[in-house]
Amino acid sequence: LDSQTFFTYAEDFDDVVEVDDDYLSNYTIGTPMLPMAGTVLVKIVSVNSVYALEADNTLRWIVSEDVAESLYGEDWADYVIDVPVTAWGHFTLGEDVESSSDIDVDLDNMQTRDALNSK
C-alpha cells in the first residue's frame, strides 16, 4: 500500500530487487500487501475508529481510548496509521476489544507512525 506498510515487514530497502517494466509486466496484480499483524493500529482517514490488527488480516475495533491506553500505553495513538479506504475490503472484522483481557499485545513488536516514516 505504501512505505509505512512495507516497513512493518522490513527495516530498509536493501533486499528489494529492482526490475524493468518488461519483467514486471509478466506478473498479475494481486491483493495489496497489508500491514503486518501486531505491529501497528489502523484506521481509515475519515473515520475515528481504531483497530488492532491480528493474524489473517483480522481487525478488532478498540472500543475506547481508555481500553487503547490500558493495552498500548498513554502514547497509544502514536501506533495508529491510516489505511486507504480502498484496502478496507481486504480485512476481516473480528470481535471488538472491550477490555485489556480481550487481546494479547506485545509492545516490543509495535512500531510508531514516526518510526515507520523515518526509515
Side-chain angles (χ1 to χ4, degrees):
L1 294 175
D2 54 30
S3 61
Q4 283 184 328
T5 298
F6 178 83
F7 288 127
T8 64
Y9 291 90
E11 287 296 315
D12 52 45
F13 288 116
D14 289 352
D15 292 329
V16 173
V17 177
E18 290 187 38
V19 298
D20 61 31
D21 290 342
D22 290 337
Y23 183 85
L24 194 58
S25 69
N26 291 313
Y27 290 89
T28 58
I29 295 175
T31 57
M33 182 179 182
L34 302 172
M36 179 184 279
T39 61
V40 291
L41 302 173
V42 299
K43 68 181 267 324
I44 298 174
V45 175
S46 60
V47 179
N48 289 333
S49 299
V50 173
Y51 297 82
L53 178 58
E54 292 188 316
D56 300 323
N57 298 320
T58 299
L59 296 175
R60 297 189 59 195
W61 177 47
I62 301 172
V63 300
S64 71
E65 290 185 27
D66 289 338
V67 173
E69 187 172 329
S70 70
L71 287 163
Y72 300 97
E74 65 183 41
D75 295 328
W76 65 271
D78 292 343
Y79 296 123
V80 179
I81 64 170
D82 292 315
V83 174
V85 69
T86 55
W88 210 247
H90 296 283
F91 293 105
T92 302
L93 292 178
E95 294 183 23
D96 295 348
V97 178
E98 297 178 353
S99 75
S100 58
S101 63
D102 288 346
I103 190 171
D104 291 326
V105 173
D106 184 352
L107 291 176
D108 291 336
N109 291 331
M110 297 298 292
Q111 299 184 53
T112 66
R113 178 178 52 258
D114 288 343
L116 293 170
N117 288 331
S118 68
K119 293 183 182 185

mmCIF file of all heavy atoms in Angstrom, residues 36-77:
data_model
loop_
_atom_site.group_PDB
_atom_site.id
_atom_site.type_symbol
_atom_site.label_atom_id
_atom_site.label_comp_id
_atom_site.label_asym_id
_atom_site.label_seq_id
_atom_site.Cartn_x
_atom_site.Cartn_y
_atom_site.Cartn_z
ATOM 1 N N MET A 36 1.677 -5.624 8.705
ATOM 2 C CA MET A 36 1.919 -6.857 9.445
ATOM 3 C C MET A 36 1.134 -6.844 10.757
ATOM 4 O O MET A 36 1.135 -5.843 11.475
ATOM 5 C CB MET A 36 3.408 -7.022 9.753
ATOM 6 C CG MET A 36 3.717 -8.286 10.547
ATOM 7 S SD MET A 36 5.455 -8.412 10.994
ATOM 8 C CE MET A 36 6.120 -9.036 9.471
ATOM 9 N N ALA A 37 0.483 -7.948 11.027
ATOM 10 C CA ALA A 37 -0.300 -8.086 12.257
ATOM 11 C C ALA A 37 0.576 -7.846 13.480
ATOM 12 O O ALA A 37 1.726 -8.260 13.523
ATOM 13 C CB ALA A 37 -0.924 -9.478 12.320
ATOM 14 N N GLY A 38 0.010 -7.146 14.460
ATOM 15 C CA GLY A 38 0.704 -6.944 15.725
ATOM 16 C C GLY A 38 1.773 -5.877 15.725
ATOM 17 O O GLY A 38 2.516 -5.758 16.699
ATOM 18 N N THR A 39 1.876 -5.078 14.637
ATOM 19 C CA THR A 39 2.923 -4.057 14.587
ATOM 20 C C THR A 39 2.390 -2.637 14.660
ATOM 21 O O THR A 39 3.118 -1.723 15.042
ATOM 22 C CB THR A 39 3.775 -4.184 13.313
ATOM 23 O OG1 THR A 39 2.937 -3.995 12.166
ATOM 24 C CG2 THR A 39 4.464 -5.530 13.236
ATOM 25 N N VAL A 40 1.139 -2.437 14.255
ATOM 26 C CA VAL A 40 0.530 -1.108 14.243
ATOM 27 C C VAL A 40 -0.959 -1.230 14.550
ATOM 28 O O VAL A 40 -1.523 -2.321 14.494
ATOM 29 C CB VAL A 40 0.695 -0.394 12.876
ATOM 30 C CG1 VAL A 40 2.141 -0.020 12.617
ATOM 31 C CG2 VAL A 40 0.137 -1.231 11.740
ATOM 32 N N LEU A 41 -1.565 -0.107 14.856
ATOM 33 C CA LEU A 41 -3.015 0.016 14.920
ATOM 34 C C LEU A 41 -3.429 0.710 13.632
ATOM 35 O O LEU A 41 -2.671 1.511 13.083
ATOM 36 C CB LEU A 41 -3.440 0.831 16.139
ATOM 37 C CG LEU A 41 -2.979 0.293 17.492
ATOM 38 C CD1 LEU A 41 -3.318 1.289 18.602
ATOM 39 C CD2 LEU A 41 -3.595 -1.066 17.773
ATOM 40 N N VAL A 42 -4.623 0.429 13.136
ATOM 41 C CA VAL A 42 -5.034 1.014 11.863
ATOM 42 C C VAL A 42 -6.394 1.686 11.951
ATOM 43 O O VAL A 42 -7.199 1.375 12.822
ATOM 44 C CB VAL A 42 -5.054 -0.041 10.727
ATOM 45 C CG1 VAL A 42 -3.677 -0.631 10.494
ATOM 46 C CG2 VAL A 42 -6.058 -1.138 11.001
ATOM 47 N N LYS A 43 -6.600 2.616 11.025
ATOM 48 C CA LYS A 43 -7.872 3.291 10.878
ATOM 49 C C LYS A 43 -7.980 3.811 9.456
ATOM 50 O O LYS A 43 -6.995 3.865 8.734
ATOM 51 C CB LYS A 43 -8.022 4.426 11.890
ATOM 52 C CG LYS A 43 -7.080 5.602 11.671
ATOM 53 C CD LYS A 43 -7.245 6.691 12.691
ATOM 54 C CE LYS A 43 -8.165 7.802 12.377
ATOM 55 N NZ LYS A 43 -8.316 8.337 11.080
ATOM 56 N N ILE A 44 -9.194 4.204 9.064
ATOM 57 C CA ILE A 44 -9.423 4.887 7.798
ATOM 58 C C ILE A 44 -9.290 6.382 8.068
ATOM 59 O O ILE A 44 -9.716 6.867 9.119
ATOM 60 C CB ILE A 44 -10.832 4.576 7.254
ATOM 61 C CG1 ILE A 44 -10.990 3.082 6.976
ATOM 62 C CG2 ILE A 44 -11.109 5.369 5.984
ATOM 63 C CD1 ILE A 44 -12.399 2.691 6.566
ATOM 64 N N VAL A 45 -8.758 7.122 7.113
ATOM 65 C CA VAL A 45 -8.514 8.554 7.285
ATOM 66 C C VAL A 45 -9.738 9.297 7.819
ATOM 67 O O VAL A 45 -9.643 10.071 8.755
ATOM 68 C CB VAL A 45 -8.063 9.191 5.949
ATOM 69 C CG1 VAL A 45 -7.920 10.687 6.086
ATOM 70 C CG2 VAL A 45 -6.771 8.572 5.477
ATOM 71 N N SER A 46 -10.893 9.069 7.252
ATOM 72 C CA SER A 46 -12.079 9.858 7.579
ATOM 73 C C SER A 46 -12.893 9.323 8.754
ATOM 74 O O SER A 46 -13.939 9.873 9.082
ATOM 75 C CB SER A 46 -12.975 9.963 6.345
ATOM 76 O OG SER A 46 -13.361 8.660 5.930
ATOM 77 N N VAL A 47 -12.424 8.258 9.400
ATOM 78 C CA VAL A 47 -13.175 7.635 10.493
ATOM 79 C C VAL A 47 -12.277 7.568 11.725
ATOM 80 O O VAL A 47 -11.105 7.235 11.628
ATOM 81 C CB VAL A 47 -13.645 6.209 10.100
ATOM 82 C CG1 VAL A 47 -14.388 5.546 11.231
ATOM 83 C CG2 VAL A 47 -14.501 6.259 8.839
ATOM 84 N N ASN A 48 -12.826 7.859 12.888
ATOM 85 C CA ASN A 48 -12.037 7.886 14.121
ATOM 86 C C ASN A 48 -11.829 6.512 14.758
ATOM 87 O O ASN A 48 -11.003 6.378 15.644
ATOM 88 C CB ASN A 48 -12.675 8.823 15.141
ATOM 89 C CG ASN A 48 -12.524 10.280 14.739
ATOM 90 O OD1 ASN A 48 -11.593 10.640 14.044
ATOM 91 N ND2 ASN A 48 -13.455 11.093 15.174
ATOM 92 N N SER A 49 -12.561 5.501 14.354
ATOM 93 C CA SER A 49 -12.434 4.172 14.953
ATOM 94 C C SER A 49 -11.051 3.591 14.692
ATOM 95 O O SER A 49 -10.556 3.618 13.562
ATOM 96 C CB SER A 49 -13.491 3.231 14.390
ATOM 97 O OG SER A 49 -14.788 3.707 14.679
ATOM 98 N N VAL A 50 -10.438 3.061 15.746
ATOM 99 C CA VAL A 50 -9.093 2.483 15.669
ATOM 100 C C VAL A 50 -9.189 0.984 15.902
ATOM 101 O O VAL A 50 -9.939 0.522 16.767
ATOM 102 C CB VAL A 50 -8.152 3.140 16.703
ATOM 103 C CG1 VAL A 50 -6.807 2.432 16.746
ATOM 104 C CG2 VAL A 50 -7.971 4.616 16.387
ATOM 105 N N TYR A 51 -8.411 0.233 15.139
ATOM 106 C CA TYR A 51 -8.464 -1.220 15.174
ATOM 107 C C TYR A 51 -7.094 -1.826 15.443
ATOM 108 O O TYR A 51 -6.081 -1.370 14.904
ATOM 109 C CB TYR A 51 -8.957 -1.762 13.826
ATOM 110 C CG TYR A 51 -10.360 -1.345 13.482
ATOM 111 C CD1 TYR A 51 -10.618 -0.103 12.917
ATOM 112 C CD2 TYR A 51 -11.437 -2.186 13.727
ATOM 113 C CE1 TYR A 51 -11.906 0.293 12.599
ATOM 114 C CE2 TYR A 51 -12.729 -1.803 13.413
ATOM 115 C CZ TYR A 51 -12.953 -0.564 12.850
ATOM 116 O OH TYR A 51 -14.236 -0.180 12.547
ATOM 117 N N ALA A 52 -7.088 -2.888 16.231
ATOM 118 C CA ALA A 52 -5.904 -3.733 16.363
ATOM 119 C C ALA A 52 -5.920 -4.688 15.177
ATOM 120 O O ALA A 52 -6.985 -5.126 14.738
ATOM 121 C CB ALA A 52 -5.956 -4.516 17.669
ATOM 122 N N LEU A 53 -4.760 -5.003 14.662
ATOM 123 C CA LEU A 53 -4.647 -5.893 13.511
ATOM 124 C C LEU A 53 -4.029 -7.209 13.953
ATOM 125 O O LEU A 53 -2.918 -7.232 14.471
ATOM 126 C CB LEU A 53 -3.794 -5.232 12.427
ATOM 127 C CG LEU A 53 -3.520 -6.020 11.163
ATOM 128 C CD1 LEU A 53 -4.818 -6.429 10.478
ATOM 129 C CD2 LEU A 53 -2.658 -5.196 10.218
ATOM 130 N N GLU A 54 -4.793 -8.282 13.751
ATOM 131 C CA GLU A 54 -4.328 -9.612 14.124
ATOM 132 C C GLU A 54 -4.054 -10.451 12.883
ATOM 133 O O GLU A 54 -4.272 -10.000 11.755
ATOM 134 C CB GLU A 54 -5.378 -10.299 15.007
ATOM 135 C CG GLU A 54 -5.522 -9.655 16.373
ATOM 136 C CD GLU A 54 -6.413 -10.461 17.293
ATOM 137 O OE1 GLU A 54 -7.475 -10.932 16.852
ATOM 138 O OE2 GLU A 54 -6.027 -10.605 18.462
ATOM 139 N N ALA A 55 -3.598 -11.670 13.102
ATOM 140 C CA ALA A 55 -3.284 -12.601 12.017
ATOM 141 C C ALA A 55 -4.461 -12.724 11.053
ATOM 142 O O ALA A 55 -5.614 -12.492 11.422
ATOM 143 C CB ALA A 55 -2.924 -13.962 12.588
ATOM 144 N N ASP A 56 -4.151 -13.087 9.832
ATOM 145 C CA ASP A 56 -5.151 -13.254 8.775
ATOM 146 C C ASP A 56 -5.896 -11.966 8.469
ATOM 147 O O ASP A 56 -7.057 -11.990 8.067
ATOM 148 C CB ASP A 56 -6.134 -14.383 9.108
ATOM 149 C CG ASP A 56 -5.452 -15.728 9.270
ATOM 150 O OD1 ASP A 56 -4.488 -15.990 8.524
ATOM 151 O OD2 ASP A 56 -5.873 -16.502 10.133
ATOM 152 N N ASN A 57 -5.236 -10.815 8.693
ATOM 153 C CA ASN A 57 -5.809 -9.503 8.388
ATOM 154 C C ASN A 57 -7.142 -9.258 9.085
ATOM 155 O O ASN A 57 -8.052 -8.664 8.519
ATOM 156 C CB ASN A 57 -5.928 -9.306 6.876
ATOM 157 C CG ASN A 57 -4.589 -9.340 6.200
ATOM 158 O OD1 ASN A 57 -3.621 -8.808 6.719
ATOM 159 N ND2 ASN A 57 -4.516 -9.976 5.052
ATOM 160 N N THR A 58 -7.227 -9.728 10.316
ATOM 161 C CA THR A 58 -8.432 -9.527 11.112
ATOM 162 C C THR A 58 -8.313 -8.250 11.928
ATOM 163 O O THR A 58 -7.341 -8.048 12.651
ATOM 164 C CB THR A 58 -8.668 -10.724 12.055
ATOM 165 O OG1 THR A 58 -8.837 -11.904 11.259
ATOM 166 C CG2 THR A 58 -9.902 -10.515 12.913
ATOM 167 N N LEU A 59 -9.315 -7.389 11.793
ATOM 168 C CA LEU A 59 -9.375 -6.142 12.541
ATOM 169 C C LEU A 59 -10.281 -6.300 13.744
ATOM 170 O O LEU A 59 -11.357 -6.891 13.652
ATOM 171 C CB LEU A 59 -9.949 -5.022 11.658
ATOM 172 C CG LEU A 59 -9.134 -4.624 10.452
ATOM 173 C CD1 LEU A 59 -9.894 -3.591 9.633
ATOM 174 C CD2 LEU A 59 -7.786 -4.069 10.870
ATOM 175 N N ARG A 60 -9.837 -5.744 14.870
ATOM 176 C CA ARG A 60 -10.653 -5.766 16.089
ATOM 177 C C ARG A 60 -10.757 -4.339 16.599
ATOM 178 O O ARG A 60 -9.753 -3.732 16.979
ATOM 179 C CB ARG A 60 -10.027 -6.691 17.117
ATOM 180 C CG ARG A 60 -9.996 -8.136 16.585
ATOM 181 C CD ARG A 60 -9.591 -9.124 17.601
ATOM 182 N NE ARG A 60 -10.490 -9.111 18.746
ATOM 183 C CZ ARG A 60 -10.189 -9.686 19.910
ATOM 184 N NH1 ARG A 60 -9.016 -10.294 20.065
ATOM 185 N NH2 ARG A 60 -11.025 -9.641 20.920
ATOM 186 N N TRP A 61 -11.967 -3.804 16.580
ATOM 187 C CA TRP A 61 -12.215 -2.433 16.990
ATOM 188 C C TRP A 61 -11.918 -2.260 18.472
ATOM 189 O O TRP A 61 -12.411 -3.017 19.313
ATOM 190 C CB TRP A 61 -13.662 -2.055 16.699
ATOM 191 C CG TRP A 61 -14.034 -0.674 17.144
ATOM 192 C CD1 TRP A 61 -13.339 0.474 16.938
ATOM 193 C CD2 TRP A 61 -15.195 -0.310 17.887
ATOM 194 N NE1 TRP A 61 -14.004 1.541 17.499
ATOM 195 C CE2 TRP A 61 -15.149 1.089 18.091
ATOM 196 C CE3 TRP A 61 -16.277 -1.024 18.387
ATOM 197 C CZ2 TRP A 61 -16.129 1.784 18.775
ATOM 198 C CZ3 TRP A 61 -17.270 -0.338 19.065
ATOM 199 C CH2 TRP A 61 -17.184 1.055 19.253
ATOM 200 N N ILE A 62 -11.101 -1.274 18.798
ATOM 201 C CA ILE A 62 -10.802 -0.924 20.187
ATOM 202 C C ILE A 62 -11.848 0.106 20.585
ATOM 203 O O ILE A 62 -11.866 1.223 20.068
ATOM 204 C CB ILE A 62 -9.367 -0.370 20.323
ATOM 205 C CG1 ILE A 62 -8.372 -1.417 19.824
ATOM 206 C CG2 ILE A 62 -9.088 0.020 21.769
ATOM 207 C CD1 ILE A 62 -6.948 -0.925 19.736
ATOM 208 N N VAL A 63 -12.741 -0.272 21.491
ATOM 209 C CA VAL A 63 -13.975 0.479 21.720
ATOM 210 C C VAL A 63 -13.803 1.830 22.394
ATOM 211 O O VAL A 63 -14.708 2.660 22.323
ATOM 212 C CB VAL A 63 -15.011 -0.359 22.507
ATOM 213 C CG1 VAL A 63 -15.365 -1.631 21.746
ATOM 214 C CG2 VAL A 63 -14.503 -0.690 23.900
ATOM 215 N N SER A 64 -12.662 2.078 23.041
ATOM 216 C CA SER A 64 -12.493 3.371 23.709
ATOM 217 C C SER A 64 -11.012 3.715 23.860
ATOM 218 O O SER A 64 -10.140 2.842 23.779
ATOM 219 C CB SER A 64 -13.143 3.352 25.092
ATOM 220 O OG SER A 64 -12.396 2.539 25.978
ATOM 221 N N GLU A 65 -10.760 4.993 24.108
ATOM 222 C CA GLU A 65 -9.394 5.432 24.363
ATOM 223 C C GLU A 65 -8.855 4.820 25.649
ATOM 224 O O GLU A 65 -7.663 4.520 25.739
ATOM 225 C CB GLU A 65 -9.335 6.954 24.443
ATOM 226 C CG GLU A 65 -9.549 7.627 23.108
ATOM 227 C CD GLU A 65 -9.373 9.132 23.162
ATOM 228 O OE1 GLU A 65 -8.620 9.628 24.032
ATOM 229 O OE2 GLU A 65 -9.979 9.812 22.333
ATOM 230 N N ASP A 66 -9.724 4.619 26.633
ATOM 231 C CA ASP A 66 -9.279 4.002 27.888
ATOM 232 C C ASP A 66 -8.757 2.587 27.658
ATOM 233 O O ASP A 66 -7.734 2.196 28.226
ATOM 234 C CB ASP A 66 -10.425 3.972 28.907
ATOM 235 C CG ASP A 66 -10.776 5.342 29.446
ATOM 236 O OD1 ASP A 66 -9.919 6.252 29.391
ATOM 237 O OD2 ASP A 66 -11.919 5.512 29.918
ATOM 238 N N VAL A 67 -9.456 1.829 26.820
ATOM 239 C CA VAL A 67 -9.011 0.467 26.516
ATOM 240 C C VAL A 67 -7.700 0.522 25.735
ATOM 241 O O VAL A 67 -6.767 -0.232 26.025
ATOM 242 C CB VAL A 67 -10.090 -0.316 25.739
ATOM 243 C CG1 VAL A 67 -9.555 -1.665 25.272
ATOM 244 C CG2 VAL A 67 -11.339 -0.510 26.601
ATOM 245 N N ALA A 68 -7.606 1.423 24.769
ATOM 246 C CA ALA A 68 -6.370 1.561 23.995
ATOM 247 C C ALA A 68 -5.192 1.899 24.900
ATOM 248 O O ALA A 68 -4.113 1.315 24.781
ATOM 249 C CB ALA A 68 -6.545 2.627 22.917
ATOM 250 N N GLU A 69 -5.415 2.813 25.831
ATOM 251 C CA GLU A 69 -4.339 3.205 26.744
ATOM 252 C C GLU A 69 -3.939 2.064 27.665
ATOM 253 O O GLU A 69 -2.755 1.873 27.948
ATOM 254 C CB GLU A 69 -4.767 4.421 27.565
ATOM 255 C CG GLU A 69 -3.643 4.982 28.404
ATOM 256 C CD GLU A 69 -4.008 6.296 29.075
ATOM 257 O OE1 GLU A 69 -4.806 7.060 28.512
ATOM 258 O OE2 GLU A 69 -3.463 6.542 30.181
ATOM 259 N N SER A 70 -4.903 1.279 28.113
ATOM 260 C CA SER A 70 -4.577 0.155 29.001
ATOM 261 C C SER A 70 -3.757 -0.911 28.268
ATOM 262 O O SER A 70 -2.961 -1.614 28.884
ATOM 263 C CB SER A 70 -5.837 -0.457 29.601
ATOM 264 O OG SER A 70 -6.596 -1.146 28.624
ATOM 265 N N LEU A 71 -3.933 -1.017 26.961
ATOM 266 C CA LEU A 71 -3.209 -2.011 26.165
ATOM 267 C C LEU A 71 -1.856 -1.510 25.648
ATOM 268 O O LEU A 71 -0.864 -2.234 25.670
ATOM 269 C CB LEU A 71 -4.055 -2.439 24.967
ATOM 270 C CG LEU A 71 -5.249 -3.326 25.260
ATOM 271 C CD1 LEU A 71 -6.223 -3.327 24.095
ATOM 272 C CD2 LEU A 71 -4.780 -4.745 25.569
ATOM 273 N N TYR A 72 -1.840 -0.253 25.155
ATOM 274 C CA TYR A 72 -0.680 0.250 24.420
ATOM 275 C C TYR A 72 0.030 1.415 25.105
ATOM 276 O O TYR A 72 1.007 1.937 24.571
ATOM 277 C CB TYR A 72 -1.113 0.673 23.011
ATOM 278 C CG TYR A 72 -1.708 -0.467 22.224
ATOM 279 C CD1 TYR A 72 -3.090 -0.641 22.154
ATOM 280 C CD2 TYR A 72 -0.899 -1.387 21.575
ATOM 281 C CE1 TYR A 72 -3.649 -1.695 21.446
ATOM 282 C CE2 TYR A 72 -1.447 -2.446 20.856
ATOM 283 C CZ TYR A 72 -2.822 -2.594 20.805
ATOM 284 O OH TYR A 72 -3.359 -3.641 20.099
ATOM 285 N N GLY A 73 -0.458 1.840 26.268
ATOM 286 C CA GLY A 73 0.162 2.932 26.995
ATOM 287 C C GLY A 73 -0.443 4.275 26.624
ATOM 288 O O GLY A 73 -1.254 4.383 25.713
ATOM 289 N N GLU A 74 -0.021 5.302 27.336
ATOM 290 C CA GLU A 74 -0.625 6.621 27.147
ATOM 291 C C GLU A 74 -0.339 7.214 25.774
ATOM 292 O O GLU A 74 -1.066 8.086 25.305
ATOM 293 C CB GLU A 74 -0.214 7.587 28.248
ATOM 294 C CG GLU A 74 1.261 7.927 28.279
ATOM 295 C CD GLU A 74 1.615 8.832 29.451
ATOM 296 O OE1 GLU A 74 1.092 8.624 30.554
ATOM 297 O OE2 GLU A 74 2.432 9.748 29.226
ATOM 298 N N ASP A 75 0.691 6.739 25.098
ATOM 299 C CA ASP A 75 1.010 7.214 23.749
ATOM 300 C C ASP A 75 0.490 6.262 22.669
ATOM 301 O O ASP A 75 1.041 6.180 21.574
ATOM 302 C CB ASP A 75 2.522 7.400 23.600
ATOM 303 C CG ASP A 75 3.058 8.496 24.496
ATOM 304 O OD1 ASP A 75 2.322 9.469 24.743
ATOM 305 O OD2 ASP A 75 4.204 8.365 24.967
ATOM 306 N N TRP A 76 -0.591 5.569 22.966
ATOM 307 C CA TRP A 76 -1.148 4.564 22.051
ATOM 308 C C TRP A 76 -1.426 5.117 20.659
ATOM 309 O O TRP A 76 -1.255 4.423 19.655
ATOM 310 C CB TRP A 76 -2.430 3.955 22.634
ATOM 311 C CG TRP A 76 -3.546 4.942 22.757
ATOM 312 C CD1 TRP A 76 -3.815 5.754 23.823
ATOM 313 C CD2 TRP A 76 -4.523 5.254 21.764
ATOM 314 N NE1 TRP A 76 -4.900 6.543 23.559
ATOM 315 C CE2 TRP A 76 -5.363 6.256 22.294
ATOM 316 C CE3 TRP A 76 -4.777 4.777 20.486
ATOM 317 C CZ2 TRP A 76 -6.432 6.789 21.597
ATOM 318 C CZ3 TRP A 76 -5.846 5.312 19.776
ATOM 319 C CH2 TRP A 76 -6.655 6.301 20.337
ATOM 320 N N ALA A 77 -1.829 6.380 20.564
ATOM 321 C CA ALA A 77 -2.179 6.965 19.264
ATOM 322 C C ALA A 77 -0.973 7.046 18.332
ATOM 323 O O ALA A 77 -1.136 7.117 17.104
ATOM 324 C CB ALA A 77 -2.805 8.338 19.458
#
